[in-house]
Amino acid sequence: MTNHKIVIAIDGHSSCGKSTIAKALATRFGYVFIDSGAMYRAVTLFVLRHNLMVDGEVNREELLHSLPEIKIEFRYNPERQSSDTYLNGENVEDEIRQLHVSQNVSPVAAIPEVRESMVRLQKEMGKNKGIVMDGRDIGTVVFPDAELKFFVTASAEIRARRRFDEQTAKGEMVSLAEILENVLERDHIDSTREASPLRKAGDALVLDNSNMTREEQLEWVIKKVKETLGNPE
Ligand code: CDP
């Protein structure tokens, strides 16, 4: 049985390489890859552009009023061989990755109505299976029946260093200290919020990749997918 498709849920802490693993798995098995964090980042960009965030506090009433106007889509970009995130028809893929968005996303993602709206879209995207989705609540809330769940983590210092290298390679002027602070702050908000907090699903496999190379991680997750598909070779 190798041609049946499954749902693969990948959750974990900030900047631990979930998207990299998810993208590689999707390519390897011909699955759709969805970065659910990009959706919360796009909503956050909308909030920032419409001045709906003051001193770290979201103007909830205004945001909820605007929520039906926020249209988020993914469109395949053949140049990057990956999907770009669009907010109301505009490609915002680069901007949503910047630190000012990372610094404001967790309070926005903690709003239950925002989550309900994103989770509805995410469930719809996974209804035909053959999907790898990464985020914070994928194995617990979005796809609790996913056939395979991973929970990825690494030490905060290592995660911050990886994100710092990624951002500076893109030419963004950031310091390692502010990235580490952001990683820790998001971990805290994401894990302690009331609505769908970040936690490991009971049936998720833990991957601590602090001391693993990309290749080692990939080899491990591919093996787990093959086992789940009933094809361990
Ligand atoms: O790439 P990184 O791990 O730094 O973050 P991300 O996956 O892009 O997610 C950005 C933020 O969105 C997280 O810190 C969470 O606050 C929120 N998020 C969430 O609440 N639920 C998800 N399923 C995905 C992201």
Side-chain angles (χ1 to χ4, degrees):
M1 275 281 280
T2 48
N3 55 357
H4 74 288
K5 299 216 165 197
I6 60 169
V7 171
I8 304 172
I10 306 186
D11 291 302
H13 293 105
S14 303
S15 315
C16 61
K18 298 177 299 294
S19 296
T20 308
I21 297 170
K23 210 180 287 177
L25 277 184
T27 305
R28 173 68 179 70
F29 291 94
Y31 279 21
V32 172
F33 158 58
I34 299 290
D35 171 2
S36 69
M39 301 167 73
Y40 294 97
R41 287 174 178 272
V43 176
T44 305
L45 186 60
F46 181 96
V47 164
L48 295 172
R49 285 181 175 177
H50 292 78
N51 297 317
L52 303 181
M53 174 88 86
V54 180
D55 296 331
E57 287 282 322
V58 187
N59 182 335
R60 275 179 70 123
E61 206 178 316
E62 280 289 314
L63 174 58
L64 298 189
H65 183 72
S66 304
L67 210 47
E69 288 167 32
I70 304 180
K71 189 161 176 263
I72 296 165
E73 299 160 274
F74 294 105
R75 295 189 206 159
Y76 190 72
N77 177 343
E79 247 170 60
R80 289 200 315 118
Q81 297 196 349
S82 189
S83 290
D84 286 341
T85 312
Y86 282 74
L87 169 63
N88 292 337
E90 177 192 347
N91 186 337
V92 293
E93 183 59 33
D94 289 334
E95 197 171 351
I96 59 168
R97 308 289 165 190
Q98 292 175 1
L99 188 59
H100 73 283
V101 174
S102 303
Q103 284 168 334
N104 291 288
V105 62
S106 287
V108 174
I111 299 173
E113 292 85 350
V114 170
R115 305 203 66 79
E116 272 161 37
S117 166
M118 296 303 118
V119 169
R120 203 176 316 120
L121 278 172
Q122 290 154 5
K123 283 183 191 271
E124 180 65 27
M125 291 169 182
K127 70 176 193 302
N128 296 324
K129 302 207 173 196
I131 190 167
V132 190
M133 191 177 287
D134 79 301
R136 303 292 185 286
D137 60 340
I138 310 305
T140 52
V141 174
V142 181
F143 300 126
D145 298 328
E147 288 82 354
L148 186 57
K149 301 177 186 178
F150 293 108
F151 187 86
V152 191
T153 189
S155 80
E157 287 71 22
I158 287 178
R159 290 185 280 128
R161 162 60 68 177
R162 288 179 185 154
R163 183 53 53 93
F164 174 75
D165 290 344
E166 190 177 88
Q167 303 293 90
T168 48
K170 287 189 200 161
E172 203 182 339
M173 300 292 288
V174 284
S175 73
L176 183 56
E178 64 186 340
I179 300 254
L180 178 60
E181 189 188 333
N182 177 246
V183 160
L184 292 171
E185 190 187 6
R186 281 197 290 138
D187 284 353
H188 176 70
I189 301 176
D190 295 347
S191 309
T192 55
R193 70 185 175 212
E194 250 170 61
S196 315
L198 165 65
R199 61 180 177 81
K200 185 185 103 53
D203 51 353
L205 305 174
V206 177
L207 173 64
D208 182 334
N209 62 19
S210 301
N211 297 306
M212 286 170 92
T213 64
R214 256 177 213 209
E215 289 68 32
E216 287 167 341
Q217 294 174 52
L218 208 54
E219 199 182 314
W220 188 82
V221 290
I222 286 176
K223 188 162 168 272
K224 299 295 176 197
V225 176
K226 285 183 173 174
E227 284 170 7
T228 307
L229 290 168
N231 171 26
E233 283 318 298

